[in-house]
Amino acid sequence: KNVYKSILLNREANRKMLAVLLDPDKCRGSVLAGTIAALKSNTPDLVFVGGSHTVTSVDSLIELLKEEVNTKIVLFPGNASQFSTKANALLYLSLLSGRNAEFLIGQHITSSVAIKKTGIEVIPTGYLLIDGGKPSSVEYISNTRTIPRDKNEIALSTAVAAELLGMRLVYLEAGSGADTPVAPEMIHCVSAGLSLPLIVGGGIKTTEQLTAAYDAGADIVVVGNAFESNPNLIEEFVKCTRNYEAGSELSAT
Ligand code: 1GP
């Protein structure tokens, strides 16, 4: 269980992790070439592959990434069809903020036996969709409602339910391209009451927002959109993550 183990080891050492999200529908042609070049010179801890509305097969992108970039590839699927044995691990997502049985358990039943046979590392993940200021693709596709962005206690209760159900990660998601990322207050509330590693993503476009998420208690931050328009930003985000020291801002004042 190498990917999850590395997440736990980094968390114990208080090292934050950056995950770059690549959607095979968007990551092609010159965008793909620029992204691969950027990832080779500034390699993040993890690369997530997938999307809520992805139709392109994830296989060829993962094959290329494995040839070119020395990092772990993690499937971040929008549904059971986005699977590849070539990835290092699978986030086995259950959309706990919603009440659509299809995304809570239905897609899992469709794919569980086949996934188990492959022997891929499976990381059960409680996935919480938070209002990011505009309707997201995942909200539309899953036909579920978001948790209001100021309802920290609802997010905490949902995250702790994931923990008690035996899940291994919790993901606070504002939606790809969100106007407003998950608020630091919510990240702090959830991380303070949760014993699992916490992933945060959606709408993070600056290193200030990245640092704010780390400061609030995110163990892993996921960034996609910001790099699609400018792969050169990956360097800045990777360096910010490597140089991050918890409390450094507090101790400097
Ligand atoms: C979306 O959390 C990820 O699922 C990343 O969001 O594309 O807005 O960075 P962005």
Side-chain angles (χ1 to χ4, degrees), residues 21 76 127 171 173 175-178 200-204 222-226:
L21 172 64
F76 175 55
Y127 189 54
Y171 192 138
E173 168 73 271
S176 196
V200 174
I204 293 177
V222 186
V223 181
N225 256 260

